[in-house]
């Protein structure tokens, strides 16, 4: 995946997870959890800076390089913070993400990069 494809993928995947479940459910997908800093960067690339700041706050709570066990998220010292971050993130603090995706992909260079290499990954008939 190039940077544009990765930005759209990471941001939309996090959006889906947050709308279906909650931030702690990210720990079920270790590979995705470990790229939280890249997801934050994706939100910054899109211009969703409030969401990126919330992710940064969440990342700061997590011990570096590990995926905490489920109970860690609900420990008394951090449960209220995580619930607040999760609630604010799910409420779209920057506005509808669809608007950010459209604005990002409306830039000609981003639209071009989004489509780059896609035909290589689709089986030909």
């Amino acid at each position: 995946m190039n940077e544009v494809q990765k930005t759209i993928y990471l941001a939309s995947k996090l959006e889906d997870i947050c709308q279906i479940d909650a931030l702690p459910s990210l720990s079920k997908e270790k590979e995705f959890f470990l790229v939280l800093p890249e997801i934050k960067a994706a939100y910054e690339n899109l211009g969703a800076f409030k969401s990126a700041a919330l992710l940064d706050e969440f990342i700061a709570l997590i011990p570096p390089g590990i995926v905490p066990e489920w109970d860690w998220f609900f420990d008394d010292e951090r449960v209220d913070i995580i619930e607040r971050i999760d609630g604010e993130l799910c409420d779209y603090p920057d506005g509808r993400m669809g608007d950010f995706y459209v604005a990002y992909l409306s830039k000609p260079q981003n639209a071009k990069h989004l489509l780059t290499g896609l035909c290589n990954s689709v089986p030909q008939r």
Side-chain angles (χ1 to χ4, degrees):
M1 259 189 249
N2 63 42
E3 193 63 29
V4 171
Q5 293 164 343
K6 196 170 171 182
T7 294
I8 296 297
Y9 170 73
L10 292 175
S12 63
K13 175 121 171 135
L14 180 66
E15 181 184 6
D16 288 346
I17 287 171
C18 287
Q19 292 305 310
I20 292 169
D21 209 342
L23 284 175
S25 68
L26 288 170
S27 66
K28 295 176 187 174
E29 294 186 50
K30 182 178 181 176
E31 294 81 19
F32 193 69
F33 191 89
L34 292 174
V35 297
L36 278 169
E38 292 179 55
I39 298 168
K40 177 191 158 229
Y43 273 76
E44 290 171 340
N45 286 343
L46 291 168
F49 298 111
K50 292 176 186 176
S51 297
L54 288 165
L55 280 175
D56 195 42
E57 191 177 347
F58 181 65
I59 292 166
L61 295 172
I62 303 164
I66 68 159
V67 178
E69 295 294 323
W70 185 256
D71 293 343
W72 178 89
F73 294 97
F74 302 100
D75 189 55
D76 287 341
E77 69 186 62
R78 69 186 70 83
V79 68
D80 291 338
I81 297 167
I82 291 173
E83 285 179 358
R84 178 188 54 77
I85 293 169
D86 183 61
E88 288 180 28
L89 195 59
C90 290
D91 286 342
Y92 295 102
D94 297 289
R96 289 176 6 100
M97 286 306 297
D99 296 338
F100 287 91
Y101 302 141
V102 168
Y104 183 73
L105 294 174
S106 292
K107 296 175 184 173
Q109 71 276 14
N110 288 346
K112 178 181 175 184
H113 288 297
L114 178 70
L115 301 174
T116 300
L118 290 183
C119 64
N120 296 337
S121 62
V122 177
Q124 300 297 318
R125 292 184 182 199

